[in-house]
Amino acid sequence: MNQTCAECQASLSCQSDLSASSCWCMELPNIVSLETNQINTQCLCKECLAKKINKQIHTLYHTKNLDLLIEIAKPYRKKTNLIEHIDYTIENGLYVFSAWHHLKRGKCCANGCRHCPYDKQGKITHK
């Protein structure tokens, strides 16, 4: 079904009428809190939904401990399809991996990544 994004009004194709599991949005992390406002009952384009999920992830960084964050990210560990605004952003033509991307790994890679969520004691850092 063709719709428009509830945030930016861009055209989008929603597959939820056919099967909720077949829509492209099911590939994104299912961690957006369901507030009671109307916008959460309407479809968003991929970019707006990714930004909304990223905002929720940042809220989780400041309210949850590292072990819980790793558990939240664990179901997405095997997904190899990287999602812009969730797993990475592009800065000056370069991919910059997010803390979410590193959380999905489950441990620090020790490469000194800018958005590494781990400190030397294995606790979440707020970069």
Side-chain angles (χ1 to χ4, degrees), residues 97-123:
F97 292 108
S98 67
W100 173 255
H101 177 77
H102 297 296
L103 284 169
K104 290 191 313 182
R105 178 181 292 132
K107 61 184 177 188
C108 180
C109 65
N111 286 327
C113 302
R114 182 191 325 169
H115 298 293
C116 181
Y118 308 99
D119 70 6
K120 291 180 181 165
Q121 290 77 40
K123 297 179 183 166

mmCIF file of all heavy atoms in Angstrom, residues 97-123:
data_model
loop_
_atom_site.group_PDB
_atom_site.id
_atom_site.type_symbol
_atom_site.label_atom_id
_atom_site.label_comp_id
_atom_site.label_asym_id
_atom_site.label_seq_id
_atom_site.Cartn_x
_atom_site.Cartn_y
_atom_site.Cartn_z
ATOM 1 N N PHE A 97 30.848 4.081 12.382
ATOM 2 C CA PHE A 97 29.981 3.126 13.051
ATOM 3 C C PHE A 97 29.481 3.681 14.378
ATOM 4 O O PHE A 97 30.186 4.367 15.104
ATOM 5 C CB PHE A 97 30.694 1.794 13.257
ATOM 6 C CG PHE A 97 30.951 1.083 11.961
ATOM 7 C CD1 PHE A 97 32.232 0.987 11.451
ATOM 8 C CD2 PHE A 97 29.908 0.540 11.225
ATOM 9 C CE1 PHE A 97 32.478 0.356 10.243
ATOM 10 C CE2 PHE A 97 30.124 -0.091 10.019
ATOM 11 C CZ PHE A 97 31.418 -0.178 9.523
ATOM 12 N N SER A 98 28.238 3.348 14.693
ATOM 13 C CA SER A 98 27.573 3.837 15.902
ATOM 14 C C SER A 98 27.846 2.918 17.088
ATOM 15 O O SER A 98 28.317 1.781 16.933
ATOM 16 C CB SER A 98 26.063 3.888 15.665
ATOM 17 O OG SER A 98 25.561 2.561 15.524
ATOM 18 N N ALA A 99 27.501 3.402 18.260
ATOM 19 C CA ALA A 99 27.592 2.575 19.462
ATOM 20 C C ALA A 99 26.688 1.351 19.316
ATOM 21 O O ALA A 99 27.041 0.256 19.762
ATOM 22 C CB ALA A 99 27.215 3.387 20.696
ATOM 23 N N TRP A 100 25.528 1.508 18.670
ATOM 24 C CA TRP A 100 24.614 0.376 18.449
ATOM 25 C C TRP A 100 25.323 -0.728 17.661
ATOM 26 O O TRP A 100 25.234 -1.908 18.001
ATOM 27 C CB TRP A 100 23.359 0.839 17.715
ATOM 28 C CG TRP A 100 22.454 -0.279 17.306
ATOM 29 C CD1 TRP A 100 22.292 -0.776 16.051
ATOM 30 C CD2 TRP A 100 21.595 -1.045 18.149
ATOM 31 N NE1 TRP A 100 21.375 -1.804 16.056
ATOM 32 C CE2 TRP A 100 20.934 -1.992 17.338
ATOM 33 C CE3 TRP A 100 21.323 -1.028 19.514
ATOM 34 C CZ2 TRP A 100 20.019 -2.904 17.841
ATOM 35 C CZ3 TRP A 100 20.413 -1.931 20.019
ATOM 36 C CH2 TRP A 100 19.771 -2.858 19.195
ATOM 37 N N HIS A 101 26.033 -0.344 16.622
ATOM 38 C CA HIS A 101 26.774 -1.318 15.815
ATOM 39 C C HIS A 101 27.763 -2.085 16.697
ATOM 40 O O HIS A 101 27.884 -3.304 16.600
ATOM 41 C CB HIS A 101 27.498 -0.602 14.674
ATOM 42 C CG HIS A 101 28.339 -1.507 13.843
ATOM 43 N ND1 HIS A 101 27.813 -2.352 12.908
ATOM 44 C CD2 HIS A 101 29.680 -1.697 13.823
ATOM 45 C CE1 HIS A 101 28.791 -3.038 12.338
ATOM 46 N NE2 HIS A 101 29.939 -2.649 12.865
ATOM 47 N N HIS A 102 28.450 -1.375 17.571
ATOM 48 C CA HIS A 102 29.418 -2.019 18.467
ATOM 49 C C HIS A 102 28.731 -2.870 19.523
ATOM 50 O O HIS A 102 29.239 -3.929 19.893
ATOM 51 C CB HIS A 102 30.319 -0.967 19.117
ATOM 52 C CG HIS A 102 31.145 -0.213 18.130
ATOM 53 N ND1 HIS A 102 32.109 -0.797 17.344
ATOM 54 C CD2 HIS A 102 31.142 1.094 17.777
ATOM 55 C CE1 HIS A 102 32.673 0.103 16.564
ATOM 56 N NE2 HIS A 102 32.095 1.261 16.809
ATOM 57 N N LEU A 103 27.573 -2.444 20.013
ATOM 58 C CA LEU A 103 26.830 -3.247 20.986
ATOM 59 C C LEU A 103 26.389 -4.578 20.382
ATOM 60 O O LEU A 103 26.389 -5.602 21.066
ATOM 61 C CB LEU A 103 25.601 -2.487 21.495
ATOM 62 C CG LEU A 103 25.871 -1.391 22.501
ATOM 63 C CD1 LEU A 103 24.624 -0.546 22.707
ATOM 64 C CD2 LEU A 103 26.355 -1.979 23.822
ATOM 65 N N LYS A 104 26.029 -4.566 19.120
ATOM 66 C CA LYS A 104 25.621 -5.809 18.462
ATOM 67 C C LYS A 104 26.772 -6.813 18.459
ATOM 68 O O LYS A 104 26.535 -8.016 18.528
ATOM 69 C CB LYS A 104 25.153 -5.546 17.027
ATOM 70 C CG LYS A 104 23.845 -4.818 16.960
ATOM 71 C CD LYS A 104 23.238 -4.777 15.571
ATOM 72 C CE LYS A 104 24.157 -4.397 14.474
ATOM 73 N NZ LYS A 104 23.489 -4.327 13.154
ATOM 74 N N ARG A 105 28.006 -6.335 18.400
ATOM 75 C CA ARG A 105 29.173 -7.220 18.440
ATOM 76 C C ARG A 105 29.255 -7.911 19.802
ATOM 77 O O ARG A 105 29.685 -9.042 19.897
ATOM 78 C CB ARG A 105 30.442 -6.418 18.178
ATOM 79 C CG ARG A 105 31.698 -7.265 18.254
ATOM 80 C CD ARG A 105 32.957 -6.462 18.020
ATOM 81 N NE ARG A 105 32.994 -6.026 16.624
ATOM 82 C CZ ARG A 105 33.257 -4.788 16.251
ATOM 83 N NH1 ARG A 105 33.503 -3.861 17.131
ATOM 84 N NH2 ARG A 105 33.293 -4.476 14.981
ATOM 85 N N GLY A 106 28.874 -7.205 20.866
ATOM 86 C CA GLY A 106 28.860 -7.799 22.199
ATOM 87 C C GLY A 106 30.113 -7.594 23.008
ATOM 88 O O GLY A 106 30.162 -7.956 24.177
ATOM 89 N N LYS A 107 31.140 -7.017 22.403
ATOM 90 C CA LYS A 107 32.389 -6.747 23.119
ATOM 91 C C LYS A 107 33.190 -5.720 22.340
ATOM 92 O O LYS A 107 32.959 -5.486 21.157
ATOM 93 C CB LYS A 107 33.208 -8.016 23.305
ATOM 94 C CG LYS A 107 33.616 -8.651 22.002
ATOM 95 C CD LYS A 107 34.330 -9.959 22.211
ATOM 96 C CE LYS A 107 34.637 -10.541 20.826
ATOM 97 N NZ LYS A 107 35.157 -11.847 20.863
ATOM 98 N N CYS A 108 34.145 -5.134 23.006
ATOM 99 C CA CYS A 108 35.013 -4.141 22.378
ATOM 100 C C CYS A 108 35.983 -4.834 21.431
ATOM 101 O O CYS A 108 36.525 -5.896 21.738
ATOM 102 C CB CYS A 108 35.782 -3.378 23.458
ATOM 103 S SG CYS A 108 36.891 -2.126 22.789
ATOM 104 N N CYS A 109 36.210 -4.220 20.268
ATOM 105 C CA CYS A 109 37.161 -4.777 19.297
ATOM 106 C C CYS A 109 38.580 -4.248 19.531
ATOM 107 O O CYS A 109 39.508 -4.676 18.864
ATOM 108 C CB CYS A 109 36.706 -4.473 17.878
ATOM 109 S SG CYS A 109 36.709 -2.715 17.462
ATOM 110 N N ALA A 110 38.735 -3.306 20.454
ATOM 111 C CA ALA A 110 40.034 -2.732 20.819
ATOM 112 C C ALA A 110 40.697 -1.965 19.675
ATOM 113 O O ALA A 110 41.916 -1.851 19.629
ATOM 114 C CB ALA A 110 40.965 -3.807 21.371
ATOM 115 N N ASN A 111 39.896 -1.418 18.756
ATOM 116 C CA ASN A 111 40.455 -0.616 17.663
ATOM 117 C C ASN A 111 40.354 0.884 17.928
ATOM 118 O O ASN A 111 40.658 1.679 17.047
ATOM 119 C CB ASN A 111 39.747 -0.950 16.344
ATOM 120 C CG ASN A 111 40.161 -2.290 15.807
ATOM 121 O OD1 ASN A 111 41.290 -2.712 15.977
ATOM 122 N ND2 ASN A 111 39.234 -2.975 15.163
ATOM 123 N N GLY A 112 39.907 1.281 19.108
ATOM 124 C CA GLY A 112 39.811 2.693 19.444
ATOM 125 C C GLY A 112 38.706 3.422 18.699
ATOM 126 O O GLY A 112 38.846 4.589 18.364
ATOM 127 N N CYS A 113 37.614 2.746 18.445
ATOM 128 C CA CYS A 113 36.502 3.326 17.686
ATOM 129 C C CYS A 113 35.925 4.549 18.399
ATOM 130 O O CYS A 113 35.797 4.564 19.624
ATOM 131 C CB CYS A 113 35.405 2.293 17.475
ATOM 132 S SG CYS A 113 35.977 0.816 16.614
ATOM 133 N N ARG A 114 35.573 5.558 17.619
ATOM 134 C CA ARG A 114 35.058 6.818 18.161
ATOM 135 C C ARG A 114 33.803 6.615 19.011
ATOM 136 O O ARG A 114 33.650 7.224 20.055
ATOM 137 C CB ARG A 114 34.741 7.790 17.041
ATOM 138 C CG ARG A 114 34.245 9.129 17.598
ATOM 139 C CD ARG A 114 33.652 10.081 16.624
ATOM 140 N NE ARG A 114 34.242 10.100 15.303
ATOM 141 C CZ ARG A 114 33.685 10.733 14.286
ATOM 142 N NH1 ARG A 114 32.562 11.386 14.432
ATOM 143 N NH2 ARG A 114 34.260 10.710 13.108
ATOM 144 N N HIS A 115 32.890 5.767 18.577
ATOM 145 C CA HIS A 115 31.626 5.582 19.283
ATOM 146 C C HIS A 115 31.566 4.282 20.071
ATOM 147 O O HIS A 115 30.477 3.756 20.330
ATOM 148 C CB HIS A 115 30.455 5.658 18.307
ATOM 149 C CG HIS A 115 30.344 6.983 17.636
ATOM 150 N ND1 HIS A 115 30.019 8.130 18.326
ATOM 151 C CD2 HIS A 115 30.532 7.349 16.347
ATOM 152 C CE1 HIS A 115 30.003 9.146 17.476
ATOM 153 N NE2 HIS A 115 30.316 8.699 16.270
ATOM 154 N N CYS A 116 32.711 3.773 20.463
ATOM 155 C CA CYS A 116 32.745 2.537 21.248
ATOM 156 C C CYS A 116 31.981 2.753 22.548
ATOM 157 O O CYS A 116 32.260 3.689 23.299
ATOM 158 C CB CYS A 116 34.179 2.134 21.553
ATOM 159 S SG CYS A 116 34.274 0.594 22.506
ATOM 160 N N PRO A 117 30.996 1.912 22.838
ATOM 161 C CA PRO A 117 30.215 2.085 24.058
ATOM 162 C C PRO A 117 30.881 1.491 25.295
ATOM 163 O O PRO A 117 30.366 1.601 26.398
ATOM 164 C CB PRO A 117 28.913 1.349 23.741
ATOM 165 C CG PRO A 117 29.330 0.276 22.810
ATOM 166 C CD PRO A 117 30.448 0.866 21.982
ATOM 167 N N TYR A 118 32.022 0.837 25.114
ATOM 168 C CA TYR A 118 32.677 0.135 26.217
ATOM 169 C C TYR A 118 33.838 0.951 26.768
ATOM 170 O O TYR A 118 34.574 1.569 26.032
ATOM 171 C CB TYR A 118 33.217 -1.212 25.735
ATOM 172 C CG TYR A 118 32.185 -2.039 25.022
ATOM 173 C CD1 TYR A 118 32.131 -2.069 23.636
ATOM 174 C CD2 TYR A 118 31.253 -2.775 25.730
ATOM 175 C CE1 TYR A 118 31.181 -2.822 22.973
ATOM 176 C CE2 TYR A 118 30.303 -3.529 25.080
ATOM 177 C CZ TYR A 118 30.265 -3.549 23.699
ATOM 178 O OH TYR A 118 29.319 -4.285 23.055
ATOM 179 N N ASP A 119 34.010 0.892 28.075
ATOM 180 C CA ASP A 119 35.238 1.424 28.645
ATOM 181 C C ASP A 119 36.079 0.230 29.069
ATOM 182 O O ASP A 119 35.702 -0.916 28.859
ATOM 183 C CB ASP A 119 34.966 2.403 29.795
ATOM 184 C CG ASP A 119 34.419 1.737 31.050
ATOM 185 O OD1 ASP A 119 34.348 0.497 31.106
ATOM 186 O OD2 ASP A 119 34.046 2.465 31.975
ATOM 187 N N LYS A 120 37.209 0.450 29.667
ATOM 188 C CA LYS A 120 38.107 -0.659 30.007
ATOM 189 C C LYS A 120 37.525 -1.598 31.054
ATOM 190 O O LYS A 120 37.939 -2.730 31.169
ATOM 191 C CB LYS A 120 39.452 -0.114 30.462
ATOM 192 C CG LYS A 120 40.185 0.522 29.311
ATOM 193 C CD LYS A 120 41.515 1.072 29.710
ATOM 194 C CE LYS A 120 42.124 1.696 28.472
ATOM 195 N NZ LYS A 120 43.219 2.537 28.719
ATOM 196 N N GLN A 121 36.542 -1.148 31.832
ATOM 197 C CA GLN A 121 35.923 -2.000 32.818
ATOM 198 C C GLN A 121 34.658 -2.681 32.274
ATOM 199 O O GLN A 121 33.953 -3.362 33.001
ATOM 200 C CB GLN A 121 35.537 -1.204 34.079
ATOM 201 C CG GLN A 121 36.726 -0.736 34.893
ATOM 202 C CD GLN A 121 37.420 0.464 34.268
ATOM 203 O OE1 GLN A 121 36.771 1.375 33.762
ATOM 204 N NE2 GLN A 121 38.740 0.458 34.266
ATOM 205 N N GLY A 122 34.363 -2.481 31.000
ATOM 206 C CA GLY A 122 33.188 -3.111 30.396
ATOM 207 C C GLY A 122 31.898 -2.391 30.711
ATOM 208 O O GLY A 122 30.824 -2.960 30.605
ATOM 209 N N LYS A 123 31.987 -1.134 31.101
ATOM 210 C CA LYS A 123 30.789 -0.360 31.412
ATOM 211 C C LYS A 123 30.473 0.574 30.259
ATOM 212 O O LYS A 123 31.359 0.929 29.489
ATOM 213 C CB LYS A 123 31.000 0.446 32.695
ATOM 214 C CG LYS A 123 31.218 -0.435 33.896
ATOM 215 C CD LYS A 123 31.451 0.399 35.135
ATOM 216 C CE LYS A 123 31.727 -0.538 36.303
ATOM 217 N NZ LYS A 123 32.262 0.159 37.429
#
